[in-house]
Amino acid sequence: MLTLYSFGPGANSLKPMATLYEKGLEFKQHFIDPSKFEQHSDWFKAINPRGQVPALQHEGKIITESTVICEYLEDVFPDQNPLRPADPYQRAQMRVWTKWVDEYFCWCVSTIGWAFGIKKIAQAMTDDEFEAHLKNVPIPEQPVKWRRARNGFPQEILDEEIRKGGVSVQRLEGTLSKQDYLLETGFSLADICNFAIANGMQREGGFFPEQVNEKATPGLIAWIDRINARPAIQKMFAEAKREEILKHTEKETAA
Amino acid sequence: MLTLYSFGPGANSLKPMATLYEKGLEFKQHFIDPSKFEQHSDWFKAINPRGQVPALQHEGKIITESTVICEYLEDVFPDQNPLRPADPYQRAQMRVWTKWVDEYFCWCVSTIGWAFGIKKIAQAMTDDEFEAHLKNVPIPEQPVKWRRARNGFPQEILDEEIRKGGVSVQRLEGTLSKQDYLLETGFSLADICNFAIANGMQREGGFFPEQVNEKATPGLIAWIDRINARPAIQKMFAEAKREEILKHTEKETAA
């Protein structure tokens, strides 16, 4: 039995979720509600002491870290629609891409997400509720981010992250202007992990529309459309539970 | 034929080098001299456009990123002293450790290295030489670090990195006070990748002696000694070429 503890199908939560759908594996989605701070509740910290989603439960064990979970699913179920290339060189290229997402690309998009999406959650609390909440956050560096989400990020940080977003988008376009997927060998975890972060950047009214559009990045736009059209991905978006509070933001940015 | 382009046996360069020695694989060490900025020379950027070591050449192909190279060597030579556990859950724990090194632990120690070791390289140049050098650095974010190495890092950055060093050391001690290696299953890439960063923190006159010592972190100290005593690691340190300019720093901090 596989249970995925996650937010809705976006960002790091999307990575193992899309991997499970693409591999056609049965699993239970246990939705963690960020507007209720369930990820920092005692019951969830008993599952992942770092208070972070996603987390996968399998045969009584817990696997954490989104990229690690994706590789775990390949290690345990290698024959069900393999998402890692068999060739070691191509597999290394896949890991260069997934590592780059975790060390660089995800941060620019995530900071914008904190500045505008998480802001709504942070501002929906009274001062006392907010301070009480911060006491439950287990990662020592995270309260800084929560305070910024509530009070506003310094503009120089936002500017720098949007600049890095531009660098990231150009790196993706450099490959996707030449081929359908990030590896020559076809769809892989490299695509899933990058799509988890890139999907949404193209939306009108979002924060990267000048960087991601038909004219500036036709290869990237076509790749986002191509992945959104995959049957497993469509099934995931149709079935997965998602954040009520963030549906609003999506509607606003889509407006 | 395997060729490793690297600095001396420390930090990220140590990871694939120790993996090659531990697996008993024949390879050629192509030493890249940081005091001559060889990593930013045109010939080396033809090998790795990011101008970063280590890089591995194998069967005419180049593999980059130290952790990715280690996994590549396991993928290609799985039977020669395996350094990844066979069990998928343990393998996932290994990847949580190697990922944490790359995303958190390496940065605190690396910043101190830049502030005190790389500083010597940066200050050995005239202003004109330094500015000319920066033009050859391909990663857009790196010149900021080079300028700080030359002119001094803000004290608040150094203080924060030393604080994170303390968090890191406690995480390692938490496991190493209970077992000989980071995984229950024994020596693995988790140890190699963490040792690459931790080895040296224990030196008297260094920057972490209050955090890493017999009294505060006996498990970590014993683990550093245990790895330094491994025959393959001793062979590596005896044979590998290293930086002349950094030998000084080591002598100073050992004094």
Side-chain angles (χ1 to χ4, degrees):
Chain A
M1 178 64 179
L2 290 157
T3 301
L4 182 68
Y5 297 89
S6 74
F7 296 155
N12 287 333
S13 287
L14 184 145
K15 295 181 193 173
M17 200 185 287
T19 303
L20 287 159
Y21 272 95
E22 283 284 347
K23 294 181 81 65
L25 295 165
E26 293 265 324
F27 74 103
K28 186 183 157 207
Q29 186 201 358
H30 190 129
F31 178 74
I32 301 294
D33 192 342
S35 72
K36 293 181 187 149
F37 306 99
E38 261 191 295
Q39 72 273 29
H40 300 139
S41 63
D42 288 342
W43 78 262
F44 185 70
K45 283 190 284 189
I47 290 173
N48 181 5
R50 291 174 67 76
Q52 284 190 308
V53 292
L56 181 77
Q57 186 159 31
H58 182 223
E59 295 179 346
K61 288 185 171 142
I62 301 291
I63 300 97
T64 60
E65 299 289 345
S66 57
T67 310
V68 174
I69 298 171
C70 293
E71 292 247 21
Y72 174 83
L73 290 168
E74 288 300 310
D75 285 339
V76 178
F77 307 100
D79 302 324
Q80 284 167 267
N81 189 22
L83 299 168
R84 280 190 309 211
D87 173 65
Y89 172 76
Q90 290 295 334
R91 193 171 285 200
Q93 302 320 297
M94 182 201 88
R95 292 192 175 121
V96 169
W97 276 115
T98 60
K99 188 173 156 66
W100 173 76
V101 170
D102 293 348
E103 294 177 12
Y104 191 95
F105 180 35
C106 85
W107 294 104
C108 5
V109 182
S110 150
T111 300
I112 301 300
W114 276 78
F116 297 92
I118 308 294
K119 175 185 169 186
K120 296 186 188 225
I121 295 174
Q123 291 188 342
M125 286 180 267
T126 66
D127 286 354
D128 285 351
E129 284 168 346
F130 184 70
E131 291 303 324
H133 166 63
L134 290 190
K135 291 201 177 76
N136 296 327
V137 178
I139 297 181
E141 287 79 17
Q142 270 206 345
V144 175
K145 224 156 61 164
W146 275 100
R147 287 189 200 283
R148 284 179 172 159
R150 186 171 165 89
N151 305 325
F153 278 71
Q155 190 60 40
E156 61 181 27
I157 290 186
L158 296 179
D159 291 346
E160 172 65 1
E161 297 298 353
I162 289 187
R163 182 192 69 75
K164 286 187 172 179
V167 172
S168 301
V169 155
Q170 285 311 311
R171 182 168 178 173
L172 288 164
E173 181 66 16
T175 298
L176 296 169
S177 61
K178 289 178 291 196
Q179 58 199 46
D180 280 358
Y181 291 111
L182 289 169
L183 301 182
E184 290 165 17
T185 42
F187 188 75
S188 74
L189 294 184
D191 298 294
I192 287 179
C193 292
N194 276 279
F195 175 78
I197 308 302
N199 189 37
M201 291 180 90
Q202 79 282 12
R203 276 192 204 114
E204 277 185 48
F207 304 101
F208 297 93
E210 286 175 29
Q211 294 169 337
V212 182
N213 58 63
E214 288 283 358
K215 204 173 160 189
T217 57
L220 175 56
I221 291 281
W223 170 82
I224 289 174
D225 290 346
R226 195 173 297 124
I227 297 180
N228 272 304
R230 291 176 71 88
I233 301 298
Q234 294 203 330
K235 190 160 188 271
M236 173 185 77
F237 282 127
E239 291 180 355
K241 193 165 175 185
R242 60 206 315 166
E243 298 82 353
E244 286 299 322
I245 200 161
L246 296 183
K247 278 187 194 163
H248 273 298
T249 311
E250 278 175 28
K251 268 184 216 143
E252 280 166 32
T253 62
Chain B
M1 177 65 180
L2 291 157
T3 302
L4 182 68
Y5 298 89
S6 74
F7 296 155
N12 287 333
S13 288
L14 184 143
K15 295 181 193 172
M17 201 185 288
T19 303
L20 288 158
Y21 271 95
E22 284 284 348
K23 294 182 81 64
L25 295 165
E26 294 265 323
F27 74 102
K28 187 184 156 205
Q29 186 201 358
H30 190 129
F31 179 73
I32 301 293
D33 191 343
S35 70
K36 293 181 187 151
F37 307 100
E38 260 190 296
Q39 73 272 29
H40 300 138
S41 62
D42 288 342
W43 79 262
F44 185 70
K45 282 189 285 189
I47 289 173
N48 182 5
R50 290 174 67 77
Q52 284 191 308
V53 293
L56 181 77
Q57 186 160 30
H58 182 222
E59 295 179 345
K61 288 185 171 140
I62 302 291
I63 299 96
T64 59
E65 299 289 345
S66 56
T67 311
V68 174
I69 298 171
C70 293
E71 293 247 21
Y72 174 82
L73 290 168
E74 288 302 308
D75 284 338
V76 179
F77 306 101
D79 302 323
Q80 285 167 268
N81 190 22
L83 298 168
R84 278 190 310 210
D87 173 64
Y89 172 75
Q90 290 295 334
R91 193 172 284 200
Q93 303 320 299
M94 181 200 88
R95 290 192 176 123
V96 170
W97 277 114
T98 60
K99 188 173 155 67
W100 172 75
V101 170
D102 293 349
E103 294 177 14
Y104 190 94
F105 181 35
C106 86
W107 295 104
C108 6
V109 182
S110 150
T111 301
I112 301 300
W114 276 78
F116 297 92
I118 308 294
K119 174 186 171 186
K120 295 185 190 227
I121 294 174
Q123 291 187 341
M125 286 180 266
T126 66
D127 286 354
D128 286 352
E129 282 168 347
F130 184 70
E131 291 303 324
H133 165 62
L134 290 190
K135 290 201 178 76
N136 296 325
V137 177
I139 297 181
E141 286 80 17
Q142 270 207 343
V144 175
K145 223 157 63 165
W146 275 100
R147 287 189 202 285
R148 284 179 172 160
R150 187 172 164 90
N151 304 325
F153 277 71
Q155 190 59 41
E156 61 180 27
I157 291 185
L158 296 180
D159 290 347
E160 172 65 1
E161 297 299 352
I162 289 187
R163 182 192 69 77
K164 286 187 172 179
V167 173
S168 302
V169 155
Q170 286 310 312
R171 181 167 179 175
L172 288 164
E173 182 66 16
T175 298
L176 296 169
S177 61
K178 291 178 288 195
Q179 57 199 51
D180 280 359
Y181 291 111
L182 289 170
L183 302 182
E184 291 165 15
T185 42
F187 188 74
S188 74
L189 294 184
D191 299 294
I192 287 179
C193 293
N194 276 279
F195 174 78
I197 308 302
N199 189 37
M201 290 180 90
Q202 78 283 11
R203 277 193 203 112
E204 277 186 47
F207 304 101
F208 297 93
E210 286 174 28
Q211 294 170 336
V212 182
N213 58 63
E214 289 284 358
K215 204 173 159 188
T217 57
L220 175 57
I221 290 280
W223 171 82
I224 290 175
D225 290 347
R226 194 173 298 124
I227 297 180
N228 272 303
R230 291 176 71 88
I233 301 299
Q234 294 204 328
K235 191 162 186 272
M236 173 185 75
F237 282 128
E239 291 180 354
K241 195 165 173 184
R242 62 207 312 169
E243 298 82 354
E244 286 299 322
I245 201 162
L246 297 183
K247 278 186 193 163
H248 269 299
T249 312
E250 280 176 26
K251 267 185 214 140
E252 280 166 29
T253 61

